[in-house]
Amino acid sequence: MKPLTLDRRKLLGRALALGALTPLAGCDFDNLRHPDLADEFLRLMSGWNNEVQAALFDPNTLAPTFKPSQITRPPRFNAFYGIDRAPQVDPATWRLNLTGRIGNKQPWRLAQLRAMTQESQITRLICVEGWRVVGQWGGVRLGDFLRRINADLKARYVSFQCADGYFESIDMASALQPQTILALDFLGAPLTAPFGAPVRLRIPTKLGYKNAKSIVALGVTNQFPSGYWEKQGYNWFGGS
C-alpha cells in the first residue's frame, strides 16, 4: 500500500475524530430514537466510510488470485430474484449503449468486445451476506474499453444499467484497476443468463453487489449515480 499523503492522513484523522465523538452523540438517547435523526446519522457515517475506503484504495494493488483446483463447484447463483427469472438476452441483438462523458457513443456489439484483447482471472467474489466463491472469468479490461471509446478518465464515476432493472456504479480509480473487466466468459465458456449474459462487470476489489450483470448501458459521469442496493442503505464504495 502506498504511504498516506497529507490529504489522506487528514481524511483519516477526521474520520477517527468523528468516531471518537460518536459515543458523546449517543448519550442523547431521546434524539437518536427520532427516525429522521437516526437516518441522517447513518447517512453521514456511510459517507465517511466511502471517503475513507476511497482514500485507502490503491489501484495498483491486486486482489488475490487462485488455482484452478480452488474454483468453487458447482458455482453459486445470486440475485435479487430467483434463478428462473434471470433475463434472457439475445447476444445477436444485444447492444451496449454509451452515455455521458464519452467521445464515441456508438453502441457496441458483442463481437466487437470479443475482438479486443481478452484477459482471464481466477478470483474470489465476496458477498455482503458473508459467503464467498472462487470463479474463473474472462473478458475485456474495463480500462482498455474506456480508452477505446475515448471516455473522460478524469470523470468521477462509471455507471451501469442492466437488463433486469438493476443499476450500479463505481469510482473511476476502481474502473481502471487492471483486474476490473467486462466479463464475457465464466468457467471457460460464454456467460449464461444466471451469471450475467452476455456481459457483466467483474470487479474483484469490491463486494458482490457491485458486480452488475447483464449490462445494457454504460455511462461516464461526474454526477453521483448511486446503485440499486445503495438506495436501500448499502455502502456505496463496497470494497472487499
Side-chain angles (χ1 to χ4, degrees):
M1 181 177 293
K2 294 178 179 178
L4 293 178
T5 64
L6 181 59
D7 287 343
R8 296 166 89 187
R9 287 196 183 99
K10 285 182 179 179
L11 174 60
L12 290 175
R14 291 166 64 194
L16 291 172
L18 179 62
L21 290 173
T22 299
L24 298 178
C27 293
D28 192 348
F29 295 108
D30 289 335
N31 280 342
L32 284 181
R33 288 193 186 102
H34 192 288
D36 291 341
L37 290 177
D39 287 348
E40 178 64 12
F41 178 75
L42 291 174
R43 185 189 67 78
L44 290 172
M45 289 303 297
S46 180
W48 275 112
N49 193 12
N50 286 329
E51 288 191 53
V52 172
Q53 288 187 74
L56 292 175
F57 178 74
D58 183 348
N60 298 309
T61 299
L62 301 181
T65 57
F66 299 85
K67 300 176 182 178
S69 61
Q70 295 175 289
I71 293 173
T72 303
R73 299 181 188 277
R76 178 168 180 166
F77 168 78
N78 188 53
F80 62 98
Y81 45 76
I83 192 169
D84 58 322
R85 292 180 53 205
Q88 301 288 330
V89 181
D90 184 353
T93 59
W94 175 87
R95 297 291 184 273
L96 179 62
N97 294 305
L98 304 174
T99 62
R101 302 178 68 87
I102 293 172
N104 185 352
K105 294 188 176 71
Q106 185 71 27
W108 273 59
R109 295 176 287 108
L110 192 59
Q112 291 175 282
L113 286 175
R114 289 206 173 272
M116 292 184 65
T117 300
Q118 303 291 297
E119 300 287 335
S120 181
Q121 60 179 253
I122 300 178
T123 51
R124 180 173 55 199
L125 186 147
I126 302 174
C127 181
V128 71
E129 296 174 347
W131 54 265
R132 56 193 62 198
V133 293
V134 174
Q136 182 182 30
W137 308 87
V140 176
R141 281 185 179 177
L142 179 56
D144 290 348
F145 179 73
L146 292 173
R147 294 180 182 94
R148 178 69 69 86
I149 61 176
N150 195 24
D152 179 3
L153 302 184
K154 294 183 179 180
R156 299 183 64 185
Y157 309 108
V158 181
S159 65
F160 306 91
Q161 300 288 329
C162 305
D164 55 12
Y166 196 77
F167 59 100
E168 192 49 86
S169 60
I170 58 176
D171 58 295
M172 182 60 77
S174 296
L176 298 178
Q177 199 267 1
Q179 290 171 306
T180 303
I181 64 173
L182 293 176
L184 311 175
D185 298 319
F186 180 54
L187 299 178
L191 286 168
T192 58
F195 296 98
V199 178
R200 69 171 292 169
L201 180 67
R202 178 67 190 113
I203 179 166
T205 58
K206 293 189 181 292
L207 293 169
Y209 64 89
K210 304 297 290 186
N211 292 247
K213 299 194 290 188
S214 301
I215 298 170
V216 294
L218 178 152
V220 175
T221 180
N222 283 322
Q223 302 299 314
F224 180 60
S226 193
Y228 179 90
W229 287 113
E230 289 86 340
K231 291 282 189 180
Q232 301 176 58
Y234 280 43
N235 176 255
W236 177 77
F237 194 85
S240 64

